[in-house]
Structures are given as C-alpha cells and as structure tokens.
Amino acid sequence: GNSVTQMEGPVTLSEEAFLTINCTYTATGYPSLFWYVQYPGEGLQLLLKATKADDKGSNKGFEATYRKETTSFHLEKGSVQVSDSAVYFCALRGGGSQGNLIFGKGTKLSVKP
Amino acid sequence: DTAVSQTPKYLVTQMGNDKSIKCEQNLGHDTMYWYKQDSKKFLKIMFSYNNKELIINETVPNRFSPKSPDKAHLNLHINSLELGDSAVYFCASDWGGGTTDTQYFGPGTRLTVL
C-alpha cells in the first residue's frame, strides 16, 4: 500500500541555519504530495504542495520539489526562524488511495535563538 | 471566520462513558474526514463522508460511529470509551473531487480518557 517515510526527529537548529527534512514515498500511479505544519497546540495547516513530477511547491521561504525518479519530496528552508518551531508532516494523496491523506510520522523542529 | 471548527477543544471523561465530538465546515466542501493523532503524533484516517454518504471506513472499533446530518457537518460518537481512545481527533474537509485538492483541518479535539 501507499506510505510516506520522513526523517525521525527531533531536529534542533540555531536561528538562520539551513533546514532539510527528508521525505520519501511509495505509491502506485501519480500521487499529489503535501507538507503540512502543526504549530504547538494548533491544528494542521497546509504549508505547500506539488501535484506532478518536477513541480516545486513553495511558501513562507520553504520549498519542496516533487522528484519522481527518487520518489522524494524533501522540505528545505534557507534560514529558519524561531517561529518555524513546529511539527512538519509530509503526506501524499491519490496514487491508488481513496482520497484521504496518508501521512508520515512527523518531524519536530525546534529553532533556538 | 473559522473554516473548519470542532467542539469541544478538550474533552476529559471516564472509561465507559459515551461522548460526541462535533465538526462543522463553512467552506461549502462536499467531503469531510476524521483523523486520529496518537501520542506519538502519528495521523491516521478513520472515516470519510461525501455528501452525507460514508466512503472511507478504516479499521476502527465499531464503538466509533460517524454521523453526517448534512454535508457541512460530520460528528463522531464514541461509545464505551477506553483508555486507548485518548488522542487528538482532527476533522478535515475538501471538495472530494481529486487528488490535488487541499484538505483543510480543524483545530483538533484532545480527548483524555481516565
């Protein structure tokens, strides 16, 4: 079945450091890929998405590129801020699933000043 | 205006009780979902309704029963609560028309069973 694997956390960075959170997926067909963010005590918010191979999603300085050849959708940001501290979820939709999102296990990011 | 709202935000109850969580969306979406987030933050689909019709019913105990009175509401009723039901439950909605749709999530309901 479809699945998403993302790097284990927690990840602790200093402010202005470069961030990469790895995400790989297994799916039949052509899924859409998403990054959601959950700030402490809040629900999930869409951060960015990509719906076909080689698409790049971007928002708030975060980027991720849909790589079909490596089945990956790694999240990157050039300079993190304390306010980026949150749990980040990679997810896929489609590719044989019923319409629900299939999530990775989440990566907790803590950014220190 | 809140797009997807859930009540209550926190729910603390005793084992064996019956409780309900309500969800409403004002986005005009056709499809609504319930996800469960466990203590390790792992999110998994439980149910999905499209226009009041059940379309996804994952392997959850039959103590959990979703009810959709109209396409803007999807409530979750849980009978005979157990300790293992403690989790955060998220409601979500979208147009249900394709894999590229963005799902919008509610703020979550933290259920604690004592």
Side-chain angles (χ1 to χ4, degrees):
Chain A
N2 295 348
S3 65
V4 175
T5 304
Q6 60 182 107
M7 62 187 284
E8 297 278 335
V11 173
T12 302
L13 296 173
S14 298
E15 208 165 21
E16 299 184 3
F18 184 84
L19 169 71
T20 300
I21 301 178
N22 290 337
C23 172
T24 58
Y25 67 90
T26 301
T28 55
Y30 304 97
S32 293
L33 301 173
F34 303 81
W35 277 101
Y36 278 82
V37 58
Q38 184 178 25
Y39 296 104
E42 297 185 14
L44 282 84
Q45 303 174 26
L46 177 70
L47 182 59
L48 53 85
K49 69 179 183 181
T51 59
K52 61 182 188 295
D54 300 324
D55 267 2
K56 178 187 281 188
S58 60
N59 186 26
K60 299 181 181 179
F62 291 89
E63 293 182 341
T65 301
Y66 188 160
R67 302 280 188 207
K68 191 164 176 18
E69 63 276 13
T70 54
T71 61
S72 65
F73 193 54
H74 304 320
L75 183 68
E76 296 183 335
K77 186 175 185 182
S79 175
V80 294
Q81 305 300 311
V82 172
S83 57
D84 294 326
S85 298
V87 181
Y88 292 81
F89 292 92
C90 186
L92 72 80
R93 187 176 188 188
S97 67
Q98 298 182 69
N100 55 287
L101 286 161
I102 295 172
F103 287 92
K105 292 190 174 182
T107 302
K108 183 175 181 179
L109 170 66
S110 295
V111 181
K112 307 296 184 188
Chain B
D1 285 344
T2 303
V4 183
S5 59
Q6 295 178 228
T7 53
K9 189 169 174 65
Y10 300 97
L11 183 53
V12 181
T13 189
Q14 301 287 331
M15 269 197 311
N17 285 349
D18 302 338
K19 291 293 179 184
S20 291
I21 306 171
K22 296 186 176 182
C23 178
E24 177 181 3
Q25 54 92 6
N26 63 6
L27 297 165
H29 288 158
D30 294 317
T31 305
M32 297 183 71
Y33 307 81
W34 278 110
Y35 290 86
K36 179 180 179 180
Q37 185 177 46
D38 63 23
S39 59
K40 296 185 178 179
K41 298 285 190 182
F42 185 56
L43 280 148
K44 190 172 181 185
I45 185 70
M46 298 176 69
F47 301 103
S48 172
Y49 269 75
N50 178 275
N51 268 321
K52 303 194 295 176
E53 182 180 345
L54 181 66
I55 56 172
I56 296 175
N57 185 355
E58 288 296 299
T59 308
V60 299
N62 57 16
R63 298 181 294 103
F64 289 78
S65 54
K67 286 187 171 50
S68 182
D70 55 59
K71 74 173 194 176
H73 296 84
L74 180 61
N75 304 323
L76 184 64
H77 188 76
I78 316 170
N79 289 327
S80 303
L81 278 155
E82 300 179 357
L83 292 176
D85 298 331
S86 296
V88 181
Y89 293 85
F90 286 100
C91 179
S93 72
D94 62 27
W95 293 110
T99 61
T100 61
D101 286 352
T102 297
Q103 279 187 17
Y104 293 85
F105 283 78
T109 295
R110 181 175 293 276
L111 171 65
T112 302
V113 182
L114 303 175

